[in-house]
Amino acid sequence: MRIYSQLMPIRALTFDLDDTLYDNRPVISRVEQAVILWLSKILPSHLTLDVNSWLKLQQQLATIDPMLKHNGKEWRRKTLKIGLMQLGFRLNEAEVLAQQGLDVATKIRNQIDIPDETHIVLKELSAHFPLIGLTNGDVDVDKIGLSQYFVEVYYAGRDGLSKTEPDLFNLAKQKLQLPAENILHVGDHLKADVYGAKQCGFQACWFNDQKQQIPLESEANTMPDVEITQLSQLLEMVGIERSTDIMTYS
């Protein structure tokens, strides 16, 4: 753990979800593979599936409508719909199939192995502090078994613009009814989480389990208040004695 500035008293914590509470990288890979497999099955045999064309279309749509980047589900659904129409499907067919493709992605998206350490740390913290989840993703905290630790979870798209924008941070502050400087945000992304939190007056904890170095990171717009490499270090930070179970992760 590295502390870069004097911490104010912590009275609540907010958490990024993806790549902070679990490794989301293999999950997203499985999602993309599942959608490509589904597409290959529904397309007529005379049509060739060009993955690069789908990726290009996705970026083109975000250029035309930048707001799509704040809503991952709608971005995927619209990419599927427009892509299928470009391949010759009628509007009503494309809309039905796009929803089916979104359902395929959502099912895989919520198949996540949550580390035991995450459960232990969140259980300990939630017994002493209110916790709120702030995510740019679309994972269902009920389905992945984390909802019991949070008083609320706010989603980009459904609840406001994605981090670094202030929407989700402001919702958390309103819910907690606490000064921003007494809220610690924990997240892996130097821009979305650290910069986003600091811009809203929160204290920022950078979860760096990938051995990144701040001077080498292009996303490092501002310094975090503290840097951790394991979630269990949060317990020491807030003065909670580690249980025997958590010792195995130290």
Side-chain angles (χ1 to χ4, degrees):
M1 178 167 57
R2 295 181 178 179
I3 297 177
Y4 298 108
S5 61
Q6 182 66 42
L7 292 172
M8 295 288 288
I10 297 167
R11 298 171 59 189
L13 294 91
T14 59
F15 280 89
D16 172 56
L17 303 184
D18 295 341
D19 294 321
T20 298
L21 299 182
Y22 46 83
D23 187 356
N24 196 51
R25 288 166 282 265
V27 179
I28 295 303
S29 178
R30 290 196 298 271
V31 168
E32 299 305 332
Q33 290 172 11
V35 172
I36 293 301
L37 178 60
W38 169 80
L39 279 169
S40 68
K41 290 180 178 179
I42 68 161
L43 292 180
S45 57
H46 67 280
L47 293 177
T48 301
L49 179 61
D50 184 348
V51 176
N52 289 330
S53 294
W54 285 92
L55 294 174
K56 184 178 180 180
L57 173 61
Q58 185 180 48
Q59 294 306 315
Q60 288 174 337
L61 292 176
T63 300
I64 296 169
D65 182 6
M67 292 299 291
L68 285 174
K69 289 188 175 182
H70 296 284
N71 190 332
K73 278 191 174 182
E74 179 59 19
W75 193 5
R76 184 183 295 277
R77 188 195 66 79
K78 195 164 187 178
T79 300
L80 288 169
K81 184 183 79 169
I82 300 300
L84 289 167
M85 291 177 66
Q86 288 180 348
L87 290 173
F89 288 85
R90 295 182 179 181
L91 174 60
N92 61 336
E93 294 175 316
E95 287 179 336
V96 170
L97 288 171
Q99 184 58 52
Q100 290 178 10
L102 186 58
D103 291 342
V104 168
T106 300
K107 181 179 179 180
I108 305 300
R109 182 73 175 87
N110 291 312
Q111 294 176 357
I112 299 175
D113 293 325
I114 306 296
D116 290 341
E117 181 184 15
T118 295
H119 284 288
I120 294 170
V121 171
L122 291 182
K123 182 178 180 180
E124 293 276 5
L125 287 172
S126 63
H128 296 82
F129 302 94
L131 309 181
I132 288 181
L134 308 178
T135 180
N136 288 351
D138 56 2
V139 70
D140 188 324
V141 291
D142 287 314
K143 291 182 178 178
I144 66 172
L146 293 180
S147 60
Q148 68 268 29
Y149 307 119
F150 297 106
V151 297
E152 190 63 80
V153 177
Y154 295 113
Y155 290 86
R158 188 193 74 179
D159 298 314
L161 301 181
S162 60
K163 302 171 292 180
T164 59
E165 298 297 328
D167 298 34
L168 303 188
F169 294 106
N170 287 339
L171 285 172
K173 186 169 65 172
Q174 292 168 14
K175 176 71 174 180
L176 292 166
Q177 290 293 294
L178 291 171
E181 61 265 26
N182 294 126
I183 305 170
L184 179 71
H185 179 68
V186 183
D188 72 291
H189 201 281
L190 282 166
K191 186 175 181 180
D193 292 305
V194 173
Y195 178 74
K198 296 292 287 181
Q199 286 292 99
C200 292
F202 286 41
Q203 298 185 90
C205 174
W206 181 36
F207 177 64
N208 178 23
D209 66 335
Q210 299 298 305
K211 299 181 179 179
Q212 296 172 285
Q213 298 181 49
I214 291 178
L216 302 179
E217 297 301 319
S218 60
E219 301 287 357
N221 293 358
T222 190
M223 287 291 291
D225 295 290
V226 61
E227 173 186 342
I228 60 174
T229 56
Q230 294 177 307
L231 283 181
S232 57
Q233 292 171 329
L234 288 171
L235 301 182
E236 177 186 347
M237 187 190 310
V238 300
I240 298 175
E241 185 175 349
R242 297 187 183 194
S243 66
T244 303
D245 290 338
I246 206 70
M247 295 299 183
T248 59
Y249 301 101
S250 302

